[in-house]
Amino acid sequence: MEPPVRLASTGTIIHGVSVGEVLGVSTLAEAKLIAGESGLGRIVQRLNVMEVPDILAWVKPHELLLTTGYPLRNTPQSLGRLVADLDERGLAALAIKLGRYVDELPEEMVEQADRLGFPLILLPNDVGFDDILNQVLTDILNRQAAVLVRAEEAHRALVQVVLAGGGLNEVTNEVSGLLDVAVAAVDGSGRVLAAAGPADHVAALRAAVPRLAGTAGSSPTFAWVPVVAGGHHHGRIVAHSPAGSIHDSDVGILERAATVAALVVTRQDAVNAVESKYRADFLRDVLTGRAGGAERITARARAFGWDLERPVTVLVAELDLFGEERTAQDRLVTAWTAALRRHDSRGAVAGFSNEVVAVLDAGVDCAKVARDAATAFTDALPATFSTGTSRLCSRPEALPEAYAQALKAARVGRQLHGPAAVAHFDQLGVYRLLSLVSDTDELHAFVRETLGPLASDDDAENADLRRTLQVLLETNLNVAETARRLHFHYNTLRYRIGKLERLLGNFTADHHLRLNLTLALHVLRMRGI
C-alpha cells in the first residue's frame, strides 16, 4: 500500500511512514500516545537517539527522536520548552522511556504537545532502541523501495505508450489508470488536448484548468507539472482527485508523464512540420496552375481534408511589417489555421514565405474570418497583416486567377488604406483595372508624360501641388470647396490653379486631360504594387 504523505510542520512533502504507522510495528505494540494525537499523520523518514543535552544541534526534519530522558535528568525545567524547539525544527515525534531518569513529563509539556500536534510517545521499558531502529528503518526503506518500483513501472508503461506510437490520449489514459485519478493534457493557452478518468472528475478538472496558475504546483485535490520540449513550454499535465488522494509519489509519476508528453509533442511537431510543407507545396502548385487537372487536384485535396470542388473564395494575408519575420510568419500561419478551423473545417490553408493563403467555402463570412485571425495574431505579436479577398471561384482550375485577385486586393488595399487593411478585389474600383496592367513600366511612363515635373518628388513643392490637383479633381473643380478642404484663401488657390495649368495644360477646360490626370494620380498612389 502506498505510504501516506502529509504536510509536516515544515511544510515539506516527503515519503515515509506516518507516526501512526510507527506505533503499529510489533516492537511498539505496548507504546502509548501521551499527547499530540492530531500529529499522528506526521511523516517519519529517519530515527535519532537523544544522548546529549544539546540535541537540538543534531536533529533533522522528519525524525523520530528516541530518548531515555538521561540528558534531561538534571534539567527538568527545560522539558517545557523542548517540544516547541523540536517542532520548530520539523521533527516528527518524541518517544521517551519514563521511570529511570525522568519520572513524568510536565503538564506544560503535554499541553504544548497537544496544542502543536506534536506526538509524545511513552515507550515500554523492555523494548530496546536497536529493535525500534531496525523495525522502523526497515519499514521506511521498504516503503521507499516500493515507491521506486512503482515509479519504474510507470516509466516503463509510459515509454511503451510512446514506442507503440501513442499520443496524448494514450498518455492520459495510462496515467489515469496508474494513479486512479482524472488526468488532462493542457496546451500553453489552457486548452485541454486530451483527458481521461471518470466523466464527472474530468468535467471538474476541465472547469478548474483556467484557475491553476503557474507552470507547476499542487493542492489537496490537484497537481500539475509543466510539459517542456526544446526549451519551449508546451503546456501542463494536470491531475485531479476529489478525495485528495494525490501523493508526492504521484507527482513524480506526473513528472515522468510530462517528459513522455514532451516526446509526443516533439514528435507531433515534426510530423506537422512535414505535413505542413506537403500541404503548402501542393496548395502553391494549385494556385500557380502546376497541380494538374481538376480531378487530380480534388483527389489530392481530399487527402488533406480539403474540399476544392465547391464554390470557394481565396484569401491572402500578407504581413505589413517585417521585424521578427520568421516568428511573425509562424504566428500568422497559426492564427489563420485556427480561424479557418472554426469557420470551415474543410477549407485549405497554408503559409508561404511572407503570406498565408486560405481557400474557404464561398458562403463563409471572409471579413469575420480575417477579424478572428487578426485578434489571435495581435494577441501574440504587436504586428499587423493586410487581407485580400478574391471573387467567387466555382472550379479548381480557376483558383490561380482567384489567388492573383486576392493578392492584388491585399497589396492595393494596403496602399490605399494602410496596414491591417481588408479589401475585396471587386471593391478596388479603378485600382482593380490598373492593377491588371502587367506592364508597370508603361504605367509609370504614362504618369511621367501626364504629370510632367509633378511626377517626381525632386522638388518639395511637387507633393503639395499634387495634393491641390487631387482635391480639385475630387470636387469637380469647385474652387470654394477645394479652398475650404485645403484651408487656403480663395486667391491663393486661384494662383495655384494658374501654376498647375502652366505645368500640365488647360485641365479646367479639357475633360479628357482631367481624366488622364486622375488616372495618373491613381497610378502614382499605387506605386510599388
Side-chain angles (χ1 to χ4, degrees), residues 93-163:
L94 173 66
I96 187 170
K97 289 185 177 183
L98 296 178
R100 297 183 63 182
Y101 303 108
V102 176
D103 293 329
E104 60 180 5
L105 298 180
E107 189 65 30
E108 176 189 357
M109 184 179 183
V110 175
E111 291 176 357
Q112 192 172 52
D114 279 328
R115 187 169 62 253
L116 295 174
F118 183 85
L120 291 179
I121 302 169
L122 176 61
L123 295 174
N125 286 322
D126 58 345
V127 176
F129 283 174
D130 56 341
D131 293 330
I132 298 174
L133 291 168
N134 182 53
Q135 278 203 2
V136 176
L137 286 176
T138 298
D139 220 13
I140 291 173
L141 291 175
N142 287 339
R143 294 298 180 89
Q144 295 288 6
V147 168
L148 292 175
V149 169
R150 182 170 180 255
E152 184 61 29
E153 290 175 350
H155 178 73
R156 282 199 298 269
L158 290 168
V159 168
Q160 190 58 41
V161 167
V162 176
L163 295 177

Side-chain angles (χ1 to χ4, degrees), residues 231-250:
H232 299 288
H233 184 270
H234 292 277
R236 289 167 288 163
I237 296 292
V238 185
H240 171 52
S241 172
S245 58
I246 300 177
H247 306 308
D248 190 42
S249 60
D250 297 337

Side-chain angles (χ1 to χ4, degrees), residues 233-376:
H233 184 270
H234 292 277
R236 289 167 288 163
I237 296 292
V238 185
H240 171 52
S241 172
S245 58
I246 300 177
H247 306 308
D248 190 42
S249 60
D250 297 337
V251 175
I253 291 175
L254 289 179
E255 290 171 349
R256 291 173 184 257
T259 301
V260 171
L263 292 175
V264 171
V265 169
T266 303
R267 182 188 65 193
Q268 191 58 49
D269 284 348
V271 172
N272 289 342
V274 173
E275 290 183 349
S276 294
K277 184 180 184 305
Y278 281 126
R279 284 195 295 266
D281 288 346
F282 171 63
L283 188 58
R284 185 184 287 107
D285 288 344
V286 171
L287 299 176
T288 54
R290 299 197 301 267
E295 290 185 8
R296 186 170 184 272
I297 290 174
T298 53
R300 288 196 63 189
R302 253 186 245 112
F304 291 120
W306 300 344
D307 183 1
L308 301 184
E309 294 180 280
R310 57 188 175 165
V312 295
T313 304
V314 177
L315 275 74
V316 171
E318 271 196 332
L319 290 169
D320 293 322
L321 301 174
F322 302 93
E324 294 290 335
E325 187 173 345
R326 184 68 265 164
T327 300
Q329 178 64 14
D330 291 343
R331 293 286 188 179
L332 187 63
V333 173
T334 301
W336 272 93
T337 301
L340 194 68
R341 282 174 182 164
R342 286 194 294 271
H343 293 275
D344 183 6
S345 61
R346 295 183 299 160
V349 61
F352 299 159
S353 57
N354 64 341
E355 67 189 32
V356 174
V357 181
V359 183
L360 63 157
D361 187 88
V364 174
D365 186 345
C366 296
K368 190 172 189 310
V369 177
R371 285 195 301 271
D372 286 357
T375 300

Side-chain angles (χ1 to χ4, degrees), residues 288-477:
T288 54
R290 299 197 301 267
E295 290 185 8
R296 186 170 184 272
I297 290 174
T298 53
R300 288 196 63 189
R302 253 186 245 112
F304 291 120
W306 300 344
D307 183 1
L308 301 184
E309 294 180 280
R310 57 188 175 165
V312 295
T313 304
V314 177
L315 275 74
V316 171
E318 271 196 332
L319 290 169
D320 293 322
L321 301 174
F322 302 93
E324 294 290 335
E325 187 173 345
R326 184 68 265 164
T327 300
Q329 178 64 14
D330 291 343
R331 293 286 188 179
L332 187 63
V333 173
T334 301
W336 272 93
T337 301
L340 194 68
R341 282 174 182 164
R342 286 194 294 271
H343 293 275
D344 183 6
S345 61
R346 295 183 299 160
V349 61
F352 299 159
S353 57
N354 64 341
E355 67 189 32
V356 174
V357 181
V359 183
L360 63 157
D361 187 88
V364 174
D365 186 345
C366 296
K368 190 172 189 310
V369 177
R371 285 195 301 271
D372 286 357
T375 300
F377 181 67
T378 52
D379 284 347
L381 285 173
T384 59
F385 60 84
S386 294
T387 306
T389 307
S390 75
R391 292 170 172 168
L392 183 145
C393 177
S394 58
R395 63 188 194 282
E397 308 96 290
L399 283 170
E401 180 183 355
Y403 169 60
Q405 293 170 358
L407 193 59
K408 285 290 184 184
R411 294 178 178 177
V412 174
R414 182 190 296 112
Q415 289 287 333
L416 299 180
H417 309 299
V422 178
H424 193 286
F425 185 72
D426 282 341
Q427 297 172 346
L428 299 180
V430 69
Y431 295 102
R432 183 179 79 226
L433 298 178
L434 294 173
S435 70
L436 295 175
V437 179
S438 58
D439 191 347
T440 56
D441 289 339
E442 188 63 34
L443 282 176
H444 294 158
F446 170 74
V447 171
R448 290 192 298 272
E449 292 167 4
T450 306
L451 294 179
L454 295 186
S456 71
D457 290 327
D458 295 339
D459 190 331
E461 187 184 17
N462 288 348
D464 196 26
L465 287 173
R466 286 200 304 269
R467 172 63 178 156
T468 301
L469 175 63
Q470 180 179 331
V471 177
L472 276 168
L473 295 172
E474 287 175 356
T475 61
N476 198 25
L477 302 182

